[in-house]
């Protein structure tokens, strides 16, 4: 039965079956259909067989055509969502204004059909693929829906007729099981020996899966049917197991079961090994949940598995053991997803599964299925070879499911999504744990992730973490997470895997062999896996109601930290020379503390642990701060560059608020709660500068080298300043923080809008949306900065729009401390200071010397953190300050201005932040009692210290001085009691001991006592330390005043009364002197005692105590200016000596050299006449004339050009087509017109090659070498050196050049005689010219002996030919002939003249020398060309001069010739003029030149008349010929006035060229004139009009004519020459062309992008990867496209050759930038489209709307027309024909 059905026609069978099935009793129909399907969909047939697919299509369509069926089904589409699915690289849009979820995206169609004006949107290229959310109100606001999805179309769609989809319901289940069976059969496990080729299986199934995809696109009705089939468990049961008798199906089913076996998180074998054969399923021996922290277990033999990785056993307190189980499938959807995973997410399958999502039932079921397979997905991902592609496809799916809060909550509740995620994350990281070596290497029990594992290096964990962050952004899910304590505990243990990872150990002996680059993986892992989830949770802990959550997190953080301290065996001292930048547990703790105090109103003390724990917590963050300083002091230099990389990444804008900010905040918390003396001494000890803090002038440092002491001390003080003045977490509002961040970035450098957005650290959790706080980024930016619009000079670099700080910001808000905190590169701090001092100088606030960083008032502290002020009011800090002031005053070594600056900053901070009096405990003041009476800085300032006991080496100067102490001293010493001793270390130990004792009595045994003696004796045999007593008798105030005197270099810089005279406000900006005055004023105003002391000290006018050692101060006092002066004198002396040496060398070299050296110069100046032109050589610096033996050369750049060929008739620029209806027609360009004209001429006349004049001339202008001189003076001698292709850089200005143009030896006396005005009759001159042409054989330069000059000239001609492409050098019939060469030479001249006209704006009205003319070397060029052209003599029979000036006897032979000569009226006058000038003997007298111009003007005028009359209608011609100009005809368009105007316009181009030529050959000035008088001006300049004939009345073009023979005879002769032909088109030649333009571009870049980025390549009909547009002619080309390659040359390079003579200007569509191709090089020019902030968006990365920048486009066009690309753009590279 089935067999017979199979053989029948598909359509009729389908129709017949459909009819059967519609009966009420359809059992026979069902049976028939099933039998048919059994035979058609037999999985044993090869999958590539399309027969089955055709049957399915016909059956589903039920007899009608499949296309019609699709249409019918679509008409019942009730979907309200767009749901378009796209893959990687698709261009989509995201609108933040409309989006509820930050992952929202729209397809281009929905975006363009919705209204998003004024919204914050951008275009982006999808990385992983995505789907359009239009119509989904869970993800975006309804206002943003497009017109199609706004209408809720679903409501008015008719319901689907039952029989339409009946066949689909019957056929599709069989079709799907068929696909599944193929997938089961094709799968092989990766470890089996057979070649595993999953791709092959997928390729065979391609048509079937594509068919499913097609079905999903039919709309809602079909999707409903598919959903039923995919989710129905009964159908799956019936079909899946496979019929009993079918062996093939059975085999498949077994394969499937074995594949399922290993789908649990723990594979079956592993379970067996772990002895988990327990009978009960509840006690499944999963590895589930790790309890608190994972430790390494001891091996059986007691040793530890150090090197190798050891699987860590996890305890099994699983809530839901099913996570660990093998999977069980209940419907098709589950198994389809299973195979999708097994086959590593083939794109087609992913698209099919996503296309179904608009169906709500499907969406819920699919999400549950996805969660059920989640662990399996991640397990497969870890094993995958292509983890990148797979990650993208996983996220492509998960982001569609988890962005929807409803759905995410639903699966969290029903499927334990959170548990699964955390468990899987733990499982993943567990595979790459190693033992931590932090602190106690031997006994550490802590494990960390190994950053060099591919899992971390390749970011394989990314999809998982990304999903986790995504679901935590939903409040309901995050709350669930925070309420679940066991989950939190689990999470903390996960975070602890990262605590202390990537440990750095300082290399002390030699440089590390291999610099590992794993650090970036470590930073990325902490940011993504720890910090971003933390920010996600923090966003939900913002209000009082969430206090409990914060308390829980803080509690678990502390517990986990305690466990961590125990595991690494930490007691009280960090291990030396180790640092890790990764302390995520500390940072979690810090951030939750900050939120608790700032937003939830919790009391800080309730969340803090006991003192001992705080001391421990403080150690590691402090270690990082000290290490930063060590790294910048080059102490880690042997660890390679990567350690610097870590230090930079730690403070970099994307990481700083998840790393350095929480660290500093945590240290601030510790400082505010711990004993300040203990804290300060810890800081100095960590920074290793304790030994430096001694009053003695010499000391020994056991741990630092001399040159490291200063930067480390500066680092320690700067850290203390930051610690006590930073307020980011201590009371600043979000707006203030944003403002401070913005100001600090802008002060370092002017910034573009995008770089500023990037540099401001925002909450790194991407789900948080816009920068937090009430104030928006834009408002804040306009408050603190001014916008500098981009500037464009043609020669300048392309500027971007920049923001620069306002003046009041510099004055009031510049905060150097914030700048130091935020700089990645140390040079940025300097840059900020330079900009600050420039501002002060400019505004006149501080003009002398270098200003110091300004002191900035701080936001008041939040009450919880008041304890931080005690740091500034503790004796230890005061002793340090006193010691440092003393050392600076006495110029001890290693004290710098920076140290003083920071010390003063600390004093000032102390004065401004007075501690609460009652806060100071009275009982505990026995520390350092002998130094200061109390702890308040204000009272300690004026406390005088008399004696100090120091320990110094025996060799120190103090020792010798004290050998014989005067008796009074000893008496004093006893009177003053004990002299002060100060040891930070001992003090710190004592404090620590006290604190420990206070908390527990036994703890004292734990502390490892360190005897201080070991601390002080460095290795080797140092001199013995002895104790000496120094007499000091100073207070801090007196030291400050003495420093003031020292800085101002005046004896008594402060008079006793200066305090009264001070104005307080002048102190804000200035240098050290100002800072000291400011501090003294503050001290005086706050305490009467201080004021008295200050007046007293200032009153005692005493010279400063002479320092112990004189040398250092001597150096300082020596006047700086004096030193500068000396240096300058030395330098000048050296330079003079050098110059004289060079000169003598050159002279001797010149004598030895053979006389024909090309660039050498004759030094025998005796025979040089004064009149010769002298040139300066830039290489040897000498000047002299250019002679034949030793010619001087000009460095030039020759380049071909097609600019003139792109001129058009009309002034209107052509538009770039942006729709299919627009086109560009090239027919009206100059080049095309001349091609047509040339072809016509060649058809009718012979010898078109020689002297056709205009024919070639402009054709050739298409591309001609253009010469540049490289510098403004034409004075360079150069010995060319040949790089590949003969290019070199000019020795003076380093610009590109490729040839040297020799200067003609010239004597200015001759020049005078050429210029003499002449009274000879025109007829005489005509004869003279004719005679001159006869003597062509004689030139001034003799060719018998080849001189150097002629050799040089030859080589230039060769260069010119090499620069030009073949096709532009061949005209006419016989390429390569002398005629051809001759024309080529002429056209070089013509092109350069024409181009100069273009530069001058197309006319000579402006007069003067244009910029182009200044650099012009046409004069030299003409001589080179003339010399070359004189080698070709003109056949006298054809000499046009005779035909110009004589009426010929009638020749009969012209009729015999089948192709006569070119008639005179078709010749081009400018061309003839140039050819005459070039072929006549040089130098040409001016009178002869004028004669040439006049004769040719006659011809030009006649041509103008002929051309005009050709335009007349017959009636008009008749009227004019009968009545002349006497009777005006009313009907005529052509009035005498308009005719005169036309004639003048016709002759103008000729006059312009002649004038320009005269200007270059004879140096005549070009006089400017208004445009209306241009004709008369030029005619006067050329001597065509006698000066007397220039009255105010209008002049006529005819008045310039000057005939030597009867005008009518000559004209008649010219006209008769072409009476035989009626080629009027050649007559009507309008010589006027508009100046060349690039295409006119649309204002919005989007218009170009939308049309061209999808446009297919003409060659291969595919959309090119990098489409480009030629901006000269609008051609669409493929950049780097292989499809359009010809002979190994890619399309852009080819196009640049035939459109632009090797110069191409292309706009890259996908990047918005312009690329220039010049010959064999290319460069990126920049973009002419900028965004609203004046910035380029290269590669469209930001995707903001771009607008045409007219100025930039003008600059581009100008560089094109003036051929200056080579000179202006600096970054050229070779393209190897690959563009």
């Amino acid at each position: 039965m089935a067999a017979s059905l199979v053989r029948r026609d598909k359509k009729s069978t389908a129709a017949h079956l459909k009819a059967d099935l519609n009966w009420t009793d359809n059992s026979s129909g069902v049976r028939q259909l099933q039998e048919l399907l059994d035979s058609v969909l037999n999985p044993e047939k090869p999958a590539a067989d399309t027969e089955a697919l055709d049957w399915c299509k016909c059956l589903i369509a039920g007899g009608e055509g499949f296309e019609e069926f699709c249409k019918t089904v679509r008409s019942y589409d009730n979907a309200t969502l767009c749901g378009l699915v796209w893959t990687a690289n698709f261009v989509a849009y995201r609108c933040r204004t409309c989006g509820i979820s930050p992952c929202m995206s729209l397809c281009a169609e929905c975006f363009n059909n919705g209204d998003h004006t004024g919204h914050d949107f951008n275009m982006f290229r999808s990385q992983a693929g995505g789907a359009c959310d239009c119509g989904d109100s869970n993800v975006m606001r309804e206002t943003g829906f497009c017109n199609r999805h706004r209408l809720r179309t679903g409501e008015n769609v008719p319901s689907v007729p039952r029989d339409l989809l009946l066949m689909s319901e019957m056929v599709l289940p069989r079709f799907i099981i068929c696909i599944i069976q193929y997938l089961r059969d094709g799968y092989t496990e990766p470890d089996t020996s057979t070649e595993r080729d999953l791709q092959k299986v997928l390729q065979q199934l391609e048509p079937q899966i594509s068919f499913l995809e097609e079905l999903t696109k039919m709309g809602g009705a079909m999707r409903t049917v598919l959903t039923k089939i995919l989710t129905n468990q009964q159908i799956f049961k019936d079909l899946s197991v496979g019929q009993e008798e079918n062996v093939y199906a059975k085999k498949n089913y077994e394969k499937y079961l074995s594949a399922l076996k290993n789908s649990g998180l723990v594979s079956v074998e592993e379970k067996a090994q772990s002895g988990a054969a327990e009978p009960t399923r509840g006690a499944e021996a999963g590895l589930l949940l790790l309890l608190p922290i994972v430790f390494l277990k001891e091996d059986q033999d007691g040793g530890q598995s150090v090197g190798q990785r050891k699987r860590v056993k996890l305890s099994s307190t699983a809530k839901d053991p099913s996570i660990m189980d093998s999977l069980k499938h209940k419907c098709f959807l589950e198994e389809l997803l299973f195979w999708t995973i097994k086959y590593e997410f083939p794109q087609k399958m992913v698209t099919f599964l996503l296309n179904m999502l608009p169906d709500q039932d499907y969406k819920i079921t699919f999400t549950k299925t996805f969660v059920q397979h989640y662990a399996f997905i991640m397990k497969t991902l870890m094993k995958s070879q292509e983890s990148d592609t797979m990650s993208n496809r996983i996220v492509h799916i998960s982001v569609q499911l988890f962005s929807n809060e409803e759905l995410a909550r639903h699966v969290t509740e029903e499927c334990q999504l959170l548990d699964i995620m955390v468990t899987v994350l733990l499982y993943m990281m567990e595979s790459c744990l190693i033992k931590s070596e932090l602190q106690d290497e031997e006994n550490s029990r802590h494990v960390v992730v190994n950053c060099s594992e591919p899992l971390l290096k390749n970011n394989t964990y990314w999809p998982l973490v990304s999903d986790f962050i995504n679901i935590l952004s939903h409040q309901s899910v995050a709350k669930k997470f925070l309420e679940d304590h066991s989950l939190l505990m689990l999470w903390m243990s996960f975070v602890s895997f990262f605590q202390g990872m990537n440990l750095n150990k300082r290399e002390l002996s030699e440089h590390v062999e291999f610099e590992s680059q794993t650090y970036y993986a470590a930073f990325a892992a902490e940011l993504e896996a720890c910090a971003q989830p933390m920010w996600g949770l923090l966003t939900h802990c913002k209000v009082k109601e969430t206090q409990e959550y914060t308390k829980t997190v803080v509690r678990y953080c502390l517990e986990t930290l305690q466990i961590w301290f125990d595991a690494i065996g930490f007691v009280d001292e960090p291990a030396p020379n180790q640092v890790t930048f990764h302390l995520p547990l500390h940072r979690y703790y810090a951030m939750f503390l900050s939120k608790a105090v700032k937003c939830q109103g919790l009391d800080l003390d309730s969340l803090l642990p006991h003192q001992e724990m705080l001391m421990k917590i403080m150690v590691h963050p402090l270690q990082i701060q000290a290490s930063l300083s060590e790294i910048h002091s080059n102490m880690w230099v042997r660890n390679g560059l990567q350690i610097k990389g870590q230090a930079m990444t730690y403070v970099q804008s994307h990481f700083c608020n998840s790393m350095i900010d929480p660290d500093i905040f945590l240290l601030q918390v510790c400082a505010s709660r711990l004993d300040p003396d203990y804290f300060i001494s810890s800081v100095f000890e960590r920074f290793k500068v304790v030994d430096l803090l001694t009053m003695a002038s010499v000391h020994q440092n056991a741990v630092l080298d001399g040159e490291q002491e200063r930067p480390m001390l500066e680092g320690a003080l700067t850290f203390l300043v930051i610690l006590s003045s930073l307020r980011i977490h201590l009371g600043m509002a979000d707006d203030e923080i944003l403002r401070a961040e913005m100001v600090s970035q802008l002060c370092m450098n002017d910034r573009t809008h995008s770089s500023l957005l990037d540099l401001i650290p925002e909450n790194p959790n991407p789900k948080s949306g816009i920068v937090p706080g009430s104030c928006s980024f834009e408002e804040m930016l306009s408050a603190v900065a001014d916008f500098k619009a981009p500037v464009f000079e043609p020669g300048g670099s392309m500027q971007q729009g920049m923001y620069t700080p306002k003046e009041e910001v510099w004055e009031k808000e510049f905060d150097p401390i914030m700048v130091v905190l935020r700089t990645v590169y140390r040079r940025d701090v300097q840059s900020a200071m330079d900009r600050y001092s420039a501002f002060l100088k400019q505004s006149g606030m501080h003009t002398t010397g270098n200003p110091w960083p300004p002191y900035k008032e701080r936001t008041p502290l939040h009450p919880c953190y008041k304890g931080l002020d005690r740091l500034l009011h503790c004796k230890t800090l005061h002793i340090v300050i006193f010691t440092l002031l003393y050392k600076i005053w006495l110029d001890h070594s290693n004290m710098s201005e920076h140290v003083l600056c920071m010390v003063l900053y600390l004093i000032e901070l102390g004065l401004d932040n007075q501690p609460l009096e009652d806060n100071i405990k009275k009982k505990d003041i026995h520390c350092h009692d002998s130094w200061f009476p109390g702890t308040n800085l204000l009272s300690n300032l004026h406390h005088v210290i008399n004696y100090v006991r120091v320990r110094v080496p025996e060799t120190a100067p103090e020792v010798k001085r004290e050998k014989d102490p005067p008796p009074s001293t000893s008496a004093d010493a006893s009177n003053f009691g004990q002299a002060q001793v100060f040891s930070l270390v001992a003090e710190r130990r004592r404090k620590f001991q006290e604190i420990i004792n206070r908390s527990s009595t036994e703890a004292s045994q734990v502390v490892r006592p360190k005897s201080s003696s070991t601390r002080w004796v460095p290795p080797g045999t140092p001199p013995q330390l002895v104790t000496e007593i120094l007499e000091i008798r100073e207070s801090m105030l007196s030291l400050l005043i003495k420093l003031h005197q020292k800085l101002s270099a005046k004896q008594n810089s402060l008079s006793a009364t200066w305090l009264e005279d001070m104005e307080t406000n002048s102190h804000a900006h200035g240098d050290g002197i100002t800072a000291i005055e400011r501090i003294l004023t503050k001290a005086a105003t706050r305490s009467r005692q201080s004021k008295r002391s200050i007046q007293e000290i200032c009153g005692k006018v005493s010279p400063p105590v002479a320092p112990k050692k004189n040398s250092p101060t001597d150096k300082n006092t020596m006047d700086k200016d004096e030193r500068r002066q000396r240096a300058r004198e030395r330098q000048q002396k050296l330079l003079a000596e050098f110059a004289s040496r060079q000169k003598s060398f050159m002279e001797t070299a010149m004598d030895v050299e053979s006389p024909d050296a090309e660039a050498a110069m004759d030094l025998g100046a005796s025979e040089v006449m004064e009149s010769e032109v002298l040139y300066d050589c830039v290489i040897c610096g000498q000047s002299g004339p250019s002679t034949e033996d030793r010619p001087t050369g000009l460095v030039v750049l020759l380049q071909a050009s097609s600019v003139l060929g792109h001129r058009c008739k009309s002034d209107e620029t052509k538009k770039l087509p942006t729709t299919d209806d627009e086109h560009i027609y090239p027919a009206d360009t100059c080049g095309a017109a001349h091609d047509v004209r040339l072809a016509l001429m060649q058809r009718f006349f012979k010898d078109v090659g020689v002297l056709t004049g205009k024919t070639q001339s402009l054709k050739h202008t298409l591309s001609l070498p253009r010469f540049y001189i490289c510098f403004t003076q034409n004075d360079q001698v150069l010995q060319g050196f040949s790089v590949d292709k003969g290019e070199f850089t000019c020795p003076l200005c380093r610009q590109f050049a490729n040839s040297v143009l020799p200067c003609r030896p010239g004597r200015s006396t001759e020049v005078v005689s050429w210029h003499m005005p002449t009274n000879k009759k025109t007829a005489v001159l005509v004869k003279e010219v004719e005679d001159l042409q006869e003597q062509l054989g004689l030139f001034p330069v003799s060719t018998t002996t080849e001189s150097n000059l002629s050799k040089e000239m030859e080589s230039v001609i060769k260069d010119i030919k090499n620069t030009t492409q073949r096709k532009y050098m061949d005209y006419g019939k016989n390429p390569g002939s002398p005629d051809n060469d001759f024309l080529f030479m002429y056209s070089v001249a013509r092109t350069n003249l024409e181009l100069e006209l273009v530069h001058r704006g197309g006319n000579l009205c402006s007069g003067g020398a244009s910029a182009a003319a200044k650099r012009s070397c046409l004069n030299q060029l003409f001589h080179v060309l003339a010399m070359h052209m004189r080698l070709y003599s003109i056949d006298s029979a054809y000499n046009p001069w005779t035909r110009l000036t004589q009426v010929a006897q009638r020749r009969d032979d012209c009729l015999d010739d089948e192709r006569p000569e070119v008639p005179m009226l078709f010749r081009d006058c400018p061309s003839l003029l140039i050819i005459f000038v070039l072929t006549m003997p040089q130098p040409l007298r001016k009178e002869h030149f004028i004669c040439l111009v006049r004769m040719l003007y006659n011809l030009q005028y006649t041509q103008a008349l002929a051309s005009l009359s050709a335009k007349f209608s017959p009636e008009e011609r008749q009227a004019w010929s009968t009545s002349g100009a006497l009777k005006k005809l009313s009907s005529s368009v052509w009035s005498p006035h308009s005719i005169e105007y036309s004639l003048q316009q016709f002759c103008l181009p000729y006059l312009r060229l002649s004038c320009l030529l005269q200007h270059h050959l004879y140096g005549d000035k070009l006089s400017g004139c208004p445009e209306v008088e241009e004709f008369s001006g030029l005619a006067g300049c050329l001597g065509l009009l006698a000066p007397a004939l220039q009255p105010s009345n209008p002049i006529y073009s005819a008045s310039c004519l000057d005939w030597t023979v009867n005008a009518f005879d000559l004209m008649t002769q010219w006209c008769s020459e072409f009476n035989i032909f009626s080629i009027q088109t050649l007559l009507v030649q309008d010589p006027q062309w508009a100046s060349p333009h690039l295409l006119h571009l649309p204002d919005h870049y989007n218009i170009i992008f939308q049309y061209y980025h999808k446009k297919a390549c003409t060659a291969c009909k595919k959309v090119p990867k990098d489409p480009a547009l030629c901006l000269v002619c609008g051609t669409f080309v493929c950049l780097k496209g292989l499809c359009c390659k010809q002979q190994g040359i890619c399309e852009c390079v080819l196009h640049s050759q035939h459109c632009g003579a090797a110069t191409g200007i292309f706009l890259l569509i996908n990047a918005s930038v312009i690329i220039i191709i010049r010959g064999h090089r290319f460069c990126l020019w920049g973009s002419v489209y900028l965004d609203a902030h004046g910035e380029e968006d290269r590669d469209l990365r930001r995707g903001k709307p771009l607008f045409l920048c007219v100025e930039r486009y003008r600059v581009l066009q100008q560089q094109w027309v003036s051929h200056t690309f080579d000179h202006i753009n600096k970054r050229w590279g070779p393209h190897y024909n690959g563009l």
Side-chain angles (χ1 to χ4, degrees), residues 702 1010-1018:
K1010 281 195 180 173
S1011 60
S1012 56
S1013 61
T1014 54
R1015 174 101 190 120
W1016 296 94
V1017 180

Side-chain angles (χ1 to χ4, degrees), residues 1622-1638:
S1622 54
I1623 328 169
Q1624 296 220 344
T1625 46
L1626 288 174
L1627 260 184
V1628 189
Q1629 171 63 46
D1630 185 358
Q1632 292 279 21
W1633 295 101
S1635 58
H1637 288 292
L1638 294 175

Side-chain angles (χ1 to χ4, degrees), residues 1611-1651:
M1611 283 171 128
T1612 314
Q1613 175 185 318
W1614 290 342
C1615 293
S1616 64
E1617 285 177 6
F1618 81 102
N1619 277 343
I1620 324 159
F1621 313 102
S1622 54
I1623 328 169
Q1624 296 220 344
T1625 46
L1626 288 174
L1627 260 184
V1628 189
Q1629 171 63 46
D1630 185 358
Q1632 292 279 21
W1633 295 101
S1635 58
H1637 288 292
L1638 294 175
L1639 295 176
H1640 177 78
L1641 298 180
D1643 288 338
H1644 290 270
Y1645 188 68
N1646 200 29
I1647 299 174
I1648 299 182
F1649 183 78
Q1650 291 301 344
Y1651 178 62

